[in-house]
Amino acid sequence: MSEANGGAGAEDADDARRPSPLGRIVDLGAAAQACIPGLYAWAVTVAPVAWGRGAPLLAKGTALMGLASLAAALVLEHRRPDDAPRARAVAVWGLAATSALTWALEPSALSLLRIDAARGFAGMLGWAVFAFACAAPPVRRDEANDARVVEGPPLRPRTRLAQGDIVIISLGALIACTLQVVGWRSGPAERAVLVRLVALACGLATLGAATGVALARHARRVPPTRGERIRRVIPWVTLLSVLVVTRIAFLVFTGK
Amino acid sequence: MQLFDGIALAMVVAAGLAFGVGATALARAEDVKALYWLVVGIVAVQSAVQIVRPRGA
């Protein structure tokens, strides 16, 4: 019994020592911390310009060089922690210079007519955070103070998410995300807003249904009988069948 | 995973496909087609939820 408790305690201690995702970011160096907002700023303001309509190939190349400069800063800082200021300079000047080149190669993409307010604000915020992260000293874990922290027993979840649930919910999330890709180039602004709203609602409905299917697998304290299930679902399946048959009939009669 | 879970999951996927076709039709201003596929998606989602719902829920 005590051995079992000891094993569980050791496992708990291991869990507690395992760094959280936020802890891992804190453990990164200054350039690596700055790369995260840099990547965001690049994705919002540089990538749409480089991969927009009519953008030259050279603009795509300079945009990719911006990403490469962020990666180079990460590698440099990881290999030589003492060269952190140099790595930071590579990230700042590399990304800023290549972004400026990309914008210069496709200046029409930055006109007010082609940038909406939300994207402009998001881009401004991204560059501001990137500048702040580059200028501010890195947030580091204080090893001396860590030793004085008395760790309590780690919080344990009451249950773990079953593997099948993760697959089902991930499938729902994938479908919901795929629906957001549809209809970004639909004509007038009113139609575009309607498409976005409908796609968002459809994504939420799909995600909700997938979550419901996953959770229902564990909520069967009183499982319904096969007949009850069939009775319950028959109206909906009938309606679905009517819709499908109507569609087939429509296609047959119109000869499409 | 039971048979009914599989059927429900297939219906969720079918609903996603119907929603995708509906949203694409809406973007192309084919409103009747969009309405049809969106209704198919809603019915498929509702069927999926109903088929796995526990008794009394």
Side-chain angles (χ1 to χ4, degrees):
Chain A
M1 183 71 182
S2 64
E3 276 181 18
N5 283 340
E11 193 182 325
D12 290 347
D14 283 347
D15 282 348
R17 272 188 225 110
R18 200 172 295 150
S20 64
L22 190 63
R24 282 179 190 158
I25 292 174
V26 168
D27 286 342
L28 294 171
Q33 285 173 15
C35 280
I36 297 166
L39 188 63
Y40 171 73
W42 180 89
V44 173
T45 58
V46 182
V49 172
W51 277 271
R53 281 182 199 165
L57 192 64
L58 193 58
K60 294 179 180 59
T62 52
L64 287 176
M65 279 167 64
L67 272 189
S69 68
L70 288 180
L74 269 175
V75 173
L76 190 64
E77 191 179 50
H78 182 67
R79 287 193 176 171
R80 296 180 184 171
D82 296 337
D83 265 355
R86 189 174 293 174
R88 201 186 307 184
V90 168
V92 172
W93 291 106
L95 185 63
T98 53
S99 301
L101 264 175
T102 309
W103 292 328
L105 287 167
E106 184 60 14
S108 63
L110 291 179
S111 73
L112 288 176
L113 290 174
R114 289 178 65 176
I115 292 185
D116 58 310
R119 189 154 70 87
F121 182 74
M124 189 183 72
L125 201 64
W127 281 103
V129 175
F130 176 60
F132 180 75
C134 290
V139 182
R140 287 203 176 281
R141 185 184 289 264
D142 191 348
E143 300 287 346
N145 284 337
D146 271 2
R148 293 191 298 183
V149 174
V150 180
E151 291 179 352
L155 295 174
R156 303 192 67 185
R158 279 181 292 181
T159 181
R160 291 189 185 277
L161 201 59
Q163 201 170 6
D165 293 356
I166 294 171
V167 172
I168 294 171
I169 294 171
S170 301
L171 184 67
L174 181 71
I175 294 171
C177 290
T178 310
L179 284 171
Q180 306 316 311
V181 179
V182 174
W184 279 95
R185 290 186 179 173
S186 51
E190 293 83 1
R191 169 79 51 183
V193 171
L194 178 66
V195 172
R196 289 273 51 79
L197 280 176
V198 168
L200 200 60
C202 292
L204 287 175
T206 312
L207 191 58
T211 311
V213 170
L215 291 179
R217 298 167 69 219
H218 308 288
R220 288 188 191 121
R221 290 182 188 133
V222 187
T225 59
R226 183 177 287 256
E228 190 184 350
R229 274 181 206 267
I230 291 170
R231 258 199 318 279
R232 193 189 294 159
V233 85
I234 267 183
W236 296 102
V237 172
T238 309
L239 188 55
L240 195 61
S241 309
V242 167
L243 285 167
V244 171
V245 169
T246 311
R247 174 75 182 166
I248 293 168
F250 176 76
L251 289 176
V252 167
F253 283 117
T254 53
K256 286 182 182 175
Chain B
M1 182 179 280
Q2 293 182 354
L3 174 68
F4 284 105
D5 294 334
I7 294 172
L9 200 57
M11 279 184 165
V12 171
V13 174
L17 286 174
F19 282 143
V21 176
T24 310
L26 196 64
R28 288 180 187 160
E30 298 171 357
D31 290 345
V32 177
K33 189 176 171 185
L35 192 64
Y36 169 79
W37 282 110
L38 292 175
V39 169
V40 169
I42 291 167
V43 173
V45 159
Q46 192 62 26
S47 307
V49 172
Q50 290 296 324
I51 207 167
V52 292
R53 202 183 69 183
R55 184 187 284 179

